[in-house]
Amino acid sequence: MALDATLLESALPRQRNVPSNFSSERNIKAWDGSKSDFCLSDRWAESWCAKAISIGVAGFTDMEDEELEIYVISLPGADTAERLFTSKGTEAEVGSNPPGDQIDRFEISSSPSTGLDGEGVTVRQGGVIARIEYTRSPGTQTSDQELMAITTMVVKRIQQAQRGENPTASVE
């Protein structure tokens, strides 16, 4: 199920849903797909933005040296999202039973928005794709367990919104 901006925004986590070290919400917002300038500024591919039903972002910080950014894009169905999502994480990168329908992991070297290094995951659940970027001070390692816990929470919140439920999933 594709999510309009209202449903997509409800799927975005709030501060109480993310690890407690993130003491501040920076941004939680979703827009309809006609806001292609927002879509492109969130570094989604132009071909994805052209098909977007809605886009959203949630950002969190510890106010010192950690940032968590979650970008989401809802496309017109799982088949469209599957065609656009061409990368695939290996078992060594994402584990043996990763969340979502498709998943990939990537390194972040000096994030454009923060100047921090880190790791990220791109995950597809049905017609929604999320990109999770967890950055820290250069030279600091992101915990695999924490990154996958955040990814699992994001996937569960998307699934809950797709079923018409109030998203309640939090990082465990």
Side-chain angles (χ1 to χ4, degrees), residues 16-43:
R16 67 184 172 276
N17 306 118
V18 298
S20 60
N21 51 310
F22 294 106
S23 57
S24 179
E25 290 179 359
R26 286 187 332 172
N27 188 20
I28 297 175
K29 182 71 177 152
W31 301 268
D32 72 37
S34 67
K35 306 286 187 189
S36 60
D37 51 337
F38 291 124
C39 187
L40 294 169
S41 70
D42 286 343
R43 300 182 316 277

Side-chain angles (χ1 to χ4, degrees), residues 19 21-22 66-69 108 117-121 132-136 142-143 146-147 150:
N21 51 310
F22 294 106
E66 284 186 285
E67 300 279 336
L68 173 62
E69 296 177 318
I108 301 167
D117 294 337
E119 296 188 46
V121 170
I132 298 128
E133 298 180 1
Y134 191 160
T135 54
R136 294 183 169 176
T142 303
S143 159
E146 196 167 23
L147 182 59
I150 292 166

Side-chain angles (χ1 to χ4, degrees), residues 48 51 76-87 102 124:
W48 295 28
K51 294 179 181 356
D79 55 337
T80 300
E82 185 176 9
R83 277 194 312 277
L84 293 172
F85 195 110
T86 56
S87 55
Q102 290 175 283
R124 179 182 70 82

